[in-house]
Amino acid sequence: QVRLQESGPGLLQPSQTLSLTCTVSGGSITTNYYYWSWIRQPPGKGLEWIGMIRYSGSTYYSPSLKSRTSISRDTSKNQFTLQLSSVTPEDRAVYYCARDLTGLSEYDSWGQGIQVTVSS
């Protein structure tokens, strides 16, 4: 059974870069044909897809966040990482990593989520 765990800072100041890591156990992030996604949920709002990295290493981003987002991976550690630059209080949310079976938001495994707050 695959397990995902987010890690990273919970508090940032405006204009800083958010960096979160998702550590995957019980399965490889290079296994065909999975996608590894970042999703967030702002307080009182629905889930928002941020982006994903394919088993091959290809990346895909939400158009609304693309200019500030980078997703990468470390296959030796079986981890993938989200970087979101120039954060503002609007980026406050619970951030999740998840495995997508098809690249079409068909998630079968989720991390527990990590609360991120942006405040000066």
Side-chain angles (χ1 to χ4, degrees):
Q1 179 182 359
V2 69
R3 294 183 179 180
L4 298 90
Q5 177 68 57
E6 304 90 348
S7 60
L11 178 63
L12 287 90
Q13 295 184 342
S15 80
Q16 288 186 321
T17 296
L18 170 66
S19 183
L20 297 177
T21 296
C22 184
T23 300
V24 179
S25 59
S28 172
I29 61 173
T30 61
T31 299
N32 298 351
Y33 297 94
Y34 297 127
Y35 296 75
W36 304 90
S37 296
W38 286 100
I39 302 144
R40 69 182 183 180
Q41 186 168 28
K45 298 184 179 180
L47 295 172
E48 179 183 17
W49 179 74
I50 301 170
M52 61 187 176
I53 186 164
R54 197 180 180 209
Y55 65 94
S56 61
S58 301
T59 52
Y60 308 83
Y61 301 112
S62 167
S64 64
L65 296 170
K66 184 176 182 179
S67 64
R68 299 195 290 129
T69 305
S70 178
I71 297 175
S72 59
R73 66 180 184 175
D74 185 335
T75 56
S76 68
K77 296 180 179 179
N78 215 34
Q79 296 174 332
F80 61 106
T81 299
L82 167 69
Q83 290 195 313
L84 182 67
S85 64
S86 303
V87 298
T88 73
E90 296 299 309
D91 294 309
R92 178 191 177 197
V94 178
Y95 285 73
Y96 298 94
C97 57
R99 186 174 74 172
D100 187 333
L101 299 178
T102 61
L104 299 174
S105 301
E106 296 185 24
Y107 307 110
D108 71 333
S109 299
W110 292 75
Q112 65 181 24
I114 183 169
Q115 174 70 55
V116 173
T117 300
V118 181
S119 175
S120 56

